[in-house]
């Protein structure tokens, strides 16, 4: 068994995620998302889909990007 690095649950079905040269251990997808998913610069929600990026900032949608003054991003092309 391995201990989740987010909630410290010692769980027999924990799993590893390898990202950017590091190995992480989680007991659930929720914990993995909490630790690894980027957050929206505007609303701070976790970005679980593709998201958008401009000038090194992440956004969950074009509306949030617009609220931060980024006009060139769109949700649908």
């Amino acid at each position: 068994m391995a201990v989740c690095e987010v909630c410290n649950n010692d769980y027999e079905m924990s799993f590893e995620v390898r990202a950017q040269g590091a190995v992480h251990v989680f007991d659930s997808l929720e914990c993995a998302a909490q630790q690894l998913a980027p957050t929206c610069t505007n609303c701070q929600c976790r970005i679980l889909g593709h998201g958008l990026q401009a000038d090194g900032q992440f956004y969950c949608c074009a509306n949030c990007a617009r609220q931060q003054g980024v006009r060139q991003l769109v949700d649908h092309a």
Side-chain angles (χ1 to χ4, degrees), residues 38 46-54 57-61 74-75:
R46 292 285 173 189
I47 302 170
L48 300 179
H50 290 285
L52 302 168
Q53 186 177 0
Q57 301 297 310
F58 292 96
Y59 302 98
C60 65
C61 63
V74 295
D75 287 320

Side-chain angles (χ1 to χ4, degrees), residues 4-40:
C4 176
E5 65 184 64
V6 173
C7 69
N8 296 313
N9 184 25
D10 192 3
Y11 185 49
E12 65 186 29
M13 294 177 64
S14 61
F15 58 92
E16 293 182 354
V17 174
R18 299 175 190 276
Q20 298 178 335
V23 178
H24 303 274
V25 177
F26 304 107
D27 70 340
S28 66
L29 290 175
E30 290 86 356
C31 284
Q34 180 65 32
Q35 183 72 20
L36 299 176
T39 56
C40 177

Side-chain angles (χ1 to χ4, degrees), residues 39-45 58-60 63-68:
T39 56
C40 177
T41 298
N42 186 63
C43 71
Q44 286 73 50
C45 75
F58 292 96
Y59 302 98
C60 65
N63 182 60
C64 278
R66 281 192 301 275
Q67 289 182 33
Q68 295 293 314

